[in-house]
Amino acid sequence: MKRIIIASNNKGKIKEIKAIIGEQDIEILSLEDIGFTGKITEDGHSIKENAIKKGLCVMKTVGELTLADDSGLEVDAINGQPGVFSARFSGQGATDERNNRKLLALLNNIPMEKRGAQFRCVMALIYPNGKIYTAEGICRGRISDRPIGDKGFGYDPIFIPDGYDETFAQLGDHIKNQISHRAIALDKMKNIMISEGLID
Ligand code: IMP
């Protein structure tokens, strides 16, 4: 059976990727599944650069077809921050909770109509021969005034997607997988994978 390595150990992401690709004749494996313990540096200047870096790093170690994703939250009122720094926004030892708290504090007193934001995701498909395809997805929304909901991960409790009145953490996977930045990028990537003959 064909195999594809997802350059991530984030269980939330792997679950979303598996759900969107669906039942296919291809084995989808995480870094944990293949025992990858190497260090992946994410020091690129953009989300796209980081996705390619992550994918190349894993592909060069395991020598197999690799799918990497990098994503981040870009908040209008603070010039697109945290962007490429989304994971480590609150400094060393950053946690989702601390990142959310820092962002809410920065947006304190900013009215709802000025709390626009977007999640951006770039997927990079890397072949062992070095061929690279990328696909991008953007999901617009706004930042809530407090964390609400217990589903999802990361900034989900404070992100309300356009067209909804609840956060991703309230809406849950079913809706998120239809509209998220990752769903949009992965849908485009799915088409690339179909035209490459990797899946049906
Ligand atoms: P990375 O793509 O794993 O580097 O994620 C960058 C940061 O963005 C992390 O803090 C994630 O928690 C956050 N992030 C990425 N995708 C999502 C999402 O779908 N919901 C909430 N937070 C996300």
Side-chain angles (χ1 to χ4, degrees):
M1 196 194 256
K2 284 174 282 197
R3 284 162 50 117
I4 186 162
I5 314 300
I6 310 296
S8 175
N9 271 325
N10 179 323
K11 291 199 166 54
K13 280 188 186 177
I14 308 268
K15 199 170 145 205
E16 284 181 14
I17 291 173
K18 283 186 174 170
I20 293 167
I21 290 191
E23 279 297 308
Q24 292 281 350
D25 193 22
I26 189 164
E27 207 178 350
I28 300 172
L29 300 158
S30 70
L31 294 180
E32 196 181 345
D33 292 333
I34 58 162
F36 178 95
T37 52
K39 185 159 167 38
I40 302 178
T41 39
E42 291 185 34
D43 56 359
H45 299 292
S46 69
I47 288 171
K48 181 175 174 182
E49 202 184 316
N50 269 343
I52 294 173
K53 270 191 173 217
K54 275 193 219 180
L56 277 174
C57 169
V58 172
M59 187 283 288
K60 281 179 184 161
T61 309
V62 303
E64 291 195 56
L65 182 69
T66 300
L67 182 65
D69 103 306
D70 197 58
S71 38
L73 179 65
E74 300 169 340
V75 180
D76 302 348
I78 49 173
N79 300 317
Q81 282 185 77
V84 77
F85 301 108
S86 293
R88 51 210 145 108
F89 190 40
S90 55
Q92 263 217 330
T95 61
D96 291 343
E97 202 202 326
R98 281 178 47 194
N99 287 341
N100 287 343
R101 224 183 301 138
K102 176 171 176 184
L103 186 54
L104 289 176
L106 280 174
L107 299 185
N108 193 21
N109 294 328
I110 303 224
M112 201 37 85
E113 67 275 13
K114 293 197 175 139
R115 297 172 77 97
Q118 63 190 24
F119 273 120
R120 183 192 300 271
C121 170
V122 176
M123 293 261 160
L125 180 69
I126 319 269
Y127 278 85
N129 67 6
K131 187 164 63 164
I132 298 174
Y133 291 96
T134 61
E136 181 177 81
I138 285 176
C139 178
R140 286 287 310 170
R142 61 194 190 278
I143 304 299
S144 61
D145 57 3
R146 65 201 155 92
I148 325 173
D150 55 9
K151 304 186 184 97
F153 64 96
Y155 295 95
D156 282 347
I158 61 168
F159 183 83
I160 303 170
D162 278 356
Y164 293 84
D165 294 317
E166 292 185 310
T167 66
F168 265 159
Q170 290 174 289
L171 293 168
D173 281 359
H174 184 66
I175 292 177
K176 187 178 174 191
N177 286 348
Q178 293 170 36
I179 60 169
S180 80
H181 48 309
R182 194 164 303 102
I184 296 165
L186 198 49
D187 215 45
K188 292 182 188 167
M189 186 51 82
K190 200 174 166 178
N191 285 329
I192 293 173
M193 290 170 73
I194 290 170
S195 58
E196 286 288 293
L198 294 168
I199 55 172
D200 298 325

